[in-house]
Amino acid sequence: MILEASHNFFSLIGENLNQFLQYTGFANATIGHIAMIIIGLLFIYIAIKKEWEPLLLVPIGFGIIVGNIPLFPGLSVGIYEEGSVLNILYQGVVKGWYPPLIFLGIGAMTDFSALISNPKLLLIGAAAQFGIFGAYAIALALGFTPAEAGAIGIIGGADGPTAIFLSSRLAPDLMGAIAVSAYSYMALVPVIQPPVMRLFTTHKERLIRMKPPRAVSKREKIMFPIVGFLLTAFIVPSGLPLLGMLFFGNLLKESGVTRRLAETARGPLIDVITILIGLTVGCSTQADEFLRLKSIGIFVLGAASFFIATAAGVLFVKFFNLFLKEGNKINPLIGNAGVSAVPDSARVSNLVGLEYDKTNYLLMHAMGPNVAGVIGSAVAAGILLGFLG
Amino acid sequence: MKNHIRIFLLFGALTLSYTLSGQNMAAMRINEVQSVNTDGFIDDYGCRSGWIELFNTSYGTVDIGGCFLTDDPNDLTKYMIPKGDALTKIPPRQHVLFYADNLPDRGTFHISFDIPNAKQILFVSNNGRTVIDEITLPEGGIPANKSYGRIMDGEGSGEPTHFLQKSIRVAQKEKAAGENHGWAILDKVTPSTNNLTLDGDSKSTTMGKTDPYGVIMAIVAMSVVFVALILLYLVFKKIGNKAIIKSHIKEAASKGDIADAASVRGKESTSAEVFAAIAMALHLYREDNEAHDIENTILTIHKESKSYSPWSSKIYTLRETPQVRRNK
């Protein structure tokens, strides 16, 4: 009798333990999960060791790990399970309201003086967007649908929030891969761009010295976000969320009377949204959703779009120089800054410029096309949304 | 003057808020009407009756609770749509159907009149006076089991457009001519669904067919990006030139040299830092011993950090602790 009772007792414990084991990550793990966790760890390593875009790669990397903890379905904890905490936080990505809030912060922290003092640099920002449409054409040739191709092409804009915003509308299934690809290449700007810049420039061109930018008045700085918004939004109304927030943030900064709002937008607000967007985008890369042949295609196309964008920016400056007088010429090394990875690509221009002339600082000049690239990529996203959305 | 501006702004804000508050309900349209229904749509009681379909033309939810439906222009409050029913909140671009069976006891969507002989249907705002939409039914009535509706949902007479003036003008002209522009006896009776079904491809599919290599997209999109940024460039080039001239005039005027101020127009800009450097160099040159290449002093700003300041101390903003007297 006692023996039977103890046997039942232990079998009950065994059953419970067995049931518990079914809920653990060990029982549900696949090779895909392990591979993604390793990728997440790699992101964190790159962010900490190399300091490449740490503010983004740490949350994304950790998010990848969180998102790839093998789960027993139905526990309402996974990012794709409706009503879970992660799912609620993910709505900012799905519905596309995180990216405009990030743009608000970017606007509030961006100084457009370099661009205002030399507005022709705007055109470099436009030329670099060719990377988006070059990648779009290649993606079409590889068999992606036009909507998917548009979402992939925007990686060439080198703008993470824009990539998330557009892919959430055009190709939600590919959003995780596109966002991770966009942020990865943004982090790799110092590695990808210099060889392309050297490839398309001559030694003589790399030594061109540009005139120092003039001082910009407060009135001009205030007028820029208002006029800039009106002109771009009237031409591409579909880019309204991004353009509106970008210029609004800049007006908060430049008006001089809303310091508290500007500080909140460029400080606590953008930090909070960056944490949420990074973590949830990372989480969205669950192995079963992410590890597909398409994802590899997206990474290859992302690299191609960065290459095209950088080359287009540099080549455009060379072309533009044909029409400029001696003394007014632009150093083509700032052409790469037309992709809007602010301020990394401008920093790359400066570093490569210094390699050839220790006293030729290009940073201030490169900031012009760099912020023009932000406007250009938002406009391009609006166009793609208008055509394909 | 300032007061005038304030009054003007206040008036503008009030006008705008009035317009905005009225905008939602004004987006509702009578979309389709069936007067005689003997072999068509069956209501939730299993009965057949005539019906009136409304359509929300806007991209926001509209609550029509408290509005009125009538077939009599002299009695605009004939049937009030009950308030507080969740189903009277019409989602964007959606339809709602009212059964004209003269049986209002059967629920919100069963109205207090029938319409086999109706000449007109009106949808009236919740103030009971403003007619939001009205439609005059065809002379001789709608043929049995057929419906009279807008060819395109929400469009036609009184259609809302982005250009309000045009809409009013067109609507007034059509009203004066006694026309119901955009209305017809429909081929298919479509209660609670679109009158015209668009069997088209999505934008993406269409683009894939018309531009399989992405060349047209690249050309068009890059042109738009360039146009947008070229416009911005032109505007700020102009603004920049003016700012440069203005700063030169100001600078010359501050030095009292009016001739110089007049002559600076059209000259190229030189930054303030350059002027400062030149001035400093001249000053040092005049002071004989000060011309040198290496500075022996450095002018900088040293930030003083204070760990404590009574101005930020919370202790001074607190009230004194009340003294407690204890009776022995």
Side-chain angles (χ1 to χ4, degrees):
Chain A
M1 185 75 178
I2 295 167
L3 263 175
E4 198 181 334
S6 66
H7 176 72
N8 285 342
F9 176 72
F10 283 115
S11 70
L12 199 64
I13 288 177
E15 270 174 34
N16 278 328
L17 279 174
N18 190 35
Q19 200 179 356
F20 174 74
L21 196 66
Q22 298 305 310
Y23 283 105
T24 63
F26 297 107
N28 296 293
T30 62
I31 295 195
H33 288 119
I34 306 299
M36 288 306 297
I37 289 172
I38 292 169
I39 292 172
L41 290 171
L42 187 70
F43 271 50
I44 295 172
Y45 172 78
I46 291 171
I48 296 171
K49 187 76 180 171
K50 303 275 181 186
E51 289 192 30
W52 289 345
E53 296 275 354
L55 298 182
L56 292 165
L57 291 193
V58 169
I60 291 179
F62 198 77
I64 292 174
I65 298 172
V66 172
N68 283 284
I69 296 298
L71 292 172
F72 187 83
L75 293 176
S76 278
V77 287
I79 196 161
Y80 294 112
E81 291 182 284
E82 207 173 309
S84 71
V85 174
L86 286 173
N87 182 263
I88 291 166
L89 296 178
Y90 190 48
Q91 292 309 304
V93 176
V94 175
K95 303 284 179 194
W97 52 267
Y98 284 160
L101 286 175
I102 290 211
F103 261 60
L104 180 74
I106 292 173
M109 65 171 71
T110 304
D111 186 354
F112 284 103
S113 299
L115 196 62
I116 301 168
S117 70
N118 191 1
K120 62 175 173 281
L121 299 179
L122 270 164
L123 304 180
I124 305 172
Q129 306 314 317
F130 196 76
I132 294 173
F133 302 103
Y136 170 81
I138 301 172
L140 281 182
L142 289 178
F144 285 95
T145 66
E148 288 173 341
I152 294 167
I154 201 70
I155 297 172
D159 201 325
T162 310
I164 290 171
F165 178 78
L166 195 68
S167 56
S168 69
R169 276 155 173 73
L170 295 183
D173 293 349
L174 306 181
M175 189 172 58
I178 289 170
V180 170
S181 171
Y183 280 120
S184 306
Y185 288 125
M186 280 166 68
L188 291 172
V189 155
V191 180
I192 299 170
Q193 289 196 322
V196 185
M197 291 156 71
R198 289 190 194 103
L199 182 67
F200 291 106
T201 51
T202 63
H203 185 77
K204 195 183 163 194
E205 285 168 337
R206 290 174 213 143
L207 298 175
I208 293 176
R209 277 176 179 267
M210 294 172 67
K211 282 200 323 193
R214 68 175 172 86
V216 175
S217 69
K218 190 184 173 191
R219 183 178 294 181
E220 286 175 274
K221 285 184 181 179
I222 292 173
M223 282 178 76
F224 185 79
I226 297 169
V227 176
F229 171 67
L230 287 173
L231 279 178
T232 50
F234 265 82
I235 293 172
V236 194
S238 44
L240 197 63
L242 298 177
L243 291 167
M245 288 301 216
L246 177 74
F247 287 117
F248 172 53
N250 191 242
L251 183 62
L252 290 179
K253 174 181 180 285
E254 300 300 352
S255 68
V257 291
T258 51
R259 223 180 86 199
R260 274 173 50 194
L261 300 185
E263 277 173 3
T264 303
R266 67 172 164 250
L269 181 66
I270 198 167
D271 289 349
V272 168
I273 302 294
T274 304
I275 291 169
L276 293 176
I277 206 169
L279 189 75
T280 50
V281 162
C283 286
S284 70
T285 60
Q286 279 184 3
D288 46 346
E289 300 273 335
F290 192 78
L291 290 178
R292 288 180 292 174
L293 206 60
K294 271 189 175 179
S295 300
I296 297 168
I298 289 167
F299 270 82
V300 173
L301 286 165
S305 66
F306 258 69
F307 179 87
I308 299 168
T310 307
V314 173
L315 291 173
F316 178 78
V317 175
K318 288 173 66 135
F319 174 73
F320 202 29
N321 274 343
L322 297 176
F323 306 97
L324 297 175
K325 288 179 200 161
E326 204 58 49
N328 277 342
K329 291 203 186 294
I330 303 169
N331 191 319
L333 289 180
I334 69 165
N336 73 300
V339 305
S340 59
V342 183
D344 288 359
S345 50
R347 211 179 289 152
V348 168
S349 306
N350 192 50
L351 288 173
V352 178
L354 287 174
E355 278 177 25
Y356 296 94
D357 180 351
K358 296 277 180 224
T359 58
N360 194 7
Y361 292 92
L362 294 171
L363 188 65
M364 270 307 282
H365 305 290
M367 280 310 289
N370 209 188
V371 292
V374 178
I375 302 171
S377 60
V379 171
I383 296 165
L384 286 168
L385 198 60
F387 275 117
L388 307 169
Chain B
M1 185 63 188
K2 273 187 177 175
N3 281 340
H4 281 110
I5 294 170
R6 277 180 195 162
I7 291 166
F8 176 74
L9 286 175
L10 188 67
F11 181 74
L14 283 172
T15 314
L16 190 68
S17 62
Y18 175 78
T19 318
L20 288 176
S21 68
Q23 236 170 26
N24 268 348
M25 238 172 259
M28 293 305 297
R29 290 286 172 273
I30 299 168
N31 200 51
E32 190 177 350
V33 179
Q34 186 173 50
S35 308
V36 181
N37 172 17
T38 56
D39 69 350
F41 193 73
I42 297 171
D43 68 15
D44 37 3
Y45 284 84
C47 303
R48 290 190 173 91
S49 63
W51 44 262
I52 301 163
E53 182 191 75
L54 301 183
F55 178 64
N56 176 5
T57 59
S58 76
Y59 289 85
T61 299
V62 177
D63 189 356
I64 56 169
C67 293
F68 299 88
L69 274 169
T70 179
D71 59 349
D72 183 359
N74 298 316
D75 181 9
L76 292 179
T77 58
K78 199 163 183 178
Y79 176 71
M80 188 182 90
I81 301 165
K83 291 178 188 171
D85 188 333
L87 295 173
T88 59
K89 290 181 178 133
I90 317 301
R93 311 290 296 170
Q94 293 295 312
H95 308 78
V96 62
L97 206 66
F98 286 92
Y99 305 105
D101 52 7
N102 196 13
L103 294 166
D105 294 342
R106 288 189 167 181
T108 302
F109 298 100
H110 294 260
I111 60 177
S112 58
F113 57 93
D114 50 22
I115 53 171
N117 303 312
K119 302 272 184 261
Q120 228 177 338
I121 305 291
L122 299 98
F123 178 65
V124 182
S125 168
N126 56 4
N127 63 15
R129 295 186 303 275
T130 313
V131 176
I132 293 172
D133 195 21
E134 61 177 297
I135 185 66
T136 307
L137 301 179
E139 289 214 10
I142 304 167
N145 299 316
K146 288 276 181 189
S147 68
Y148 186 57
R150 295 176 191 268
I151 298 162
M152 289 282 286
D153 294 78
E155 294 184 14
S157 288
E159 78 183 276
T161 72
H162 298 296
F163 306 98
L164 195 61
Q165 289 303 321
K166 186 184 164 191
S167 172
I168 290 168
R169 207 174 57 235
V170 170
Q172 282 174 343
K173 202 187 278 181
E174 285 167 0
K175 202 173 173 184
E179 292 171 4
N180 285 333
H181 186 69
W183 283 74
I185 301 287
L186 301 176
D187 294 335
K188 293 176 192 169
V189 179
T190 56
S192 285
T193 52
N194 280 1
N195 295 356
L196 182 74
T197 311
L198 300 170
D199 300 320
D201 289 329
S202 68
K203 279 186 193 175
S204 169
T205 315
T206 312
M207 188 53 92
K209 283 178 187 167
T210 53
D211 180 26
Y213 304 109
V215 179
I216 297 169
M217 168 67 101
I219 294 170
V220 173
M222 282 308 288
S223 308
V224 176
V225 173
F226 264 102
V227 165
L229 296 185
I230 284 172
L231 276 174
L232 207 55
Y233 158 65
L234 291 173
V235 170
F236 273 88
K237 197 179 174 212
K238 197 86 182 156
I239 292 172
N241 285 342
K242 282 194 174 176
I244 290 164
I245 292 166
K246 207 173 170 186
S247 71
H248 284 185
I249 293 169
K250 213 173 170 184
E251 205 169 313
S254 70
K255 287 175 185 168
D257 191 345
I258 296 163
D260 259 15
S263 68
V264 289
R265 289 176 192 280
K267 277 194 179 177
E268 281 203 359
S269 65
T270 312
S271 71
E273 285 85 353
V274 172
F275 284 127
I278 293 168
M280 178 60 84
L282 287 170
H283 171 74
L284 294 175
Y285 184 69
R286 281 186 173 185
E287 304 286 321
D288 279 341
N289 296 327
E290 294 293 328
H292 51 74
D293 292 330
I294 300 163
E295 302 295 333
N296 53 7
T297 52
I298 298 167
L299 182 63
T300 184
I301 298 167
H302 176 66
K303 197 176 176 187
E304 190 71 34
S305 64
K306 274 187 177 177
S307 54
Y308 170 76
S309 161
W311 294 103
S312 62
S313 177
K314 285 198 170 58
I315 196 85
Y316 291 105
T317 61
L318 294 174
R319 284 208 243 160
E320 277 185 38
T321 315
Q323 289 184 343
V324 183
R325 286 182 186 171
R326 295 183 192 282
N327 293 326
K328 286 182 181 177

